[in-house]
Amino acid sequence: PAKDLAAPFNTGYMSLSAIRRTMTHQKEQTESIDRILDAAEAEFGKYGMNGIDIASISRRAGVSSQLVYHYFSNKNNLYAETLFRLTETFFSHYATLFITDKTPIESVHHFAYHFSAFFLEHPGMGRLVLDQVLREDPGPRRDLRADPRMRSVFAGLDSKIEEGVSAGIFKANVTVDRLFFITFVNTVGYTTLTDFVARMHFEKDEVCGSHDIRLEVAEAVVGSVINHGHVACPQLHRDG
């Protein structure tokens, strides 16, 4: 992981000018790490893990390879940090969007809609994951640092899911983790494969009838979690 830049300094042993120099240095470090992660997201997303090396990332970031190794040690760590930052960015994005007065079904639809919207804004994210799947890479694994943040952000959604399960609206095995997985699979499929499948086998209208991938994902996710023996799938608002 990137080295901690927030280590406190003892003002009793530092002059004001030294403190300012330290703060400037920390700001420069943070900016360098952000540039490296921006470059890594673009390079990994475009060429995959095997298609790039630290040198290509450092060139894109405008820093030395030595600096990349200093902060991240190796390419696997850099890849993991790139995904972690994207995950954190999504959590921060979604935390501002949750609406408490929605029904359980509307809440699931709303989550899936905005999850896929985030992927569309960060197209390299799906490619990063697919690259690892296709190579059956044994390296990067779930980053447990994201779990507390995920629980906090999705607390309201979790209560809506429990409400839906208790009322028989959702299948009994639906949880936030399962919803996240179902939404992720649908999103990656739609955002990375729609154009390819349409070119190879169908007209695009047949593959993505609404012309809005966000709605296609949201409605597919609702259809996956709803208890069809209990309730018919409702007509949802088309604005997500």
Side-chain angles (χ1 to χ4, degrees):
K3 292 180 171 57
D4 182 11
L5 303 181
F9 44 80
N10 189 331
T11 57
Y13 295 94
M14 297 179 69
S15 66
L16 182 58
S17 61
I19 292 172
R20 286 173 175 165
R21 284 196 300 273
T22 300
M23 294 176 68
T24 299
H25 180 59
Q26 289 181 336
K27 181 175 182 291
E28 290 171 350
Q29 286 181 311
T30 301
E31 290 173 350
S32 293
I33 288 174
D34 284 340
R35 287 203 307 275
I36 292 168
L37 289 171
D38 287 342
E41 180 182 340
E43 291 286 303
F44 284 135
K46 187 172 183 179
Y47 301 109
M49 180 76 92
N50 285 344
I52 59 97
D53 53 22
I54 292 295
S56 63
I57 292 173
S58 64
R59 283 194 299 271
R60 191 179 189 108
V63 301
S64 68
S65 295
Q66 288 80 2
L67 190 63
V68 178
Y69 281 114
H70 171 70
Y71 287 131
F72 300 98
S73 301
N74 56 59
K75 192 165 65 170
N76 268 353
N77 282 348
L78 179 54
Y79 172 89
E81 285 297 311
T82 302
L83 274 183
F84 179 73
R85 188 180 69 158
L86 280 168
T87 303
E88 277 287 291
T89 302
F90 170 70
F91 289 163
S92 297
H93 170 75
Y94 185 73
T96 66
L97 297 173
F98 184 73
I99 302 173
T100 57
D101 63 355
K102 288 185 177 293
T103 67
I105 291 176
E106 289 172 339
S107 296
V108 167
H109 188 277
H110 182 263
F111 165 75
Y113 180 94
H114 288 289
F115 187 96
S116 58
F118 181 82
F119 256 67
L120 289 170
E121 293 169 6
H122 299 83
M125 192 171 186
R127 291 194 292 269
L128 283 173
V129 176
L130 282 179
D131 178 61
Q132 298 306 295
V133 172
L134 293 173
R135 294 192 309 109
E136 298 181 348
D137 190 278
R141 288 289 183 264
R142 177 173 178 169
D143 195 324
L144 297 180
R145 291 175 299 166
D147 283 6
R149 175 74 165 144
M150 180 178 176
R151 299 301 172 199
S152 173
V153 169
F154 295 142
L157 181 61
D158 189 37
S159 67
K160 290 293 183 180
I161 291 173
E162 290 180 356
E163 179 185 337
V165 171
S166 297
I169 299 169
F170 295 149
K171 297 172 184 175
N173 63 349
V174 177
T175 63
V176 164
D177 282 339
R178 184 166 178 78
L179 175 65
F180 198 93
F181 173 76
I182 292 169
T183 307
F184 180 81
V185 170
N186 277 278
T187 298
V188 170
Y190 271 100
T191 57
T192 60
L193 298 177
T194 296
D195 286 338
F196 170 75
V197 173
R199 289 196 306 270
M200 295 298 292
H201 301 288
F202 308 102
E203 295 296 329
K204 189 166 184 178
D205 287 353
E206 296 178 61
V207 179
C208 189
S210 73
H211 301 282
D212 189 337
I213 288 176
R214 299 166 301 178
L215 288 172
E216 292 288 335
V217 169
E219 289 167 9
V221 169
V222 169
S224 296
V225 302
I226 206 166
N227 181 0
H228 293 281
H230 182 273
V231 62
C233 193
Q235 181 67 36
L236 294 161
H237 295 299
R238 303 295 290 179
D239 60 0

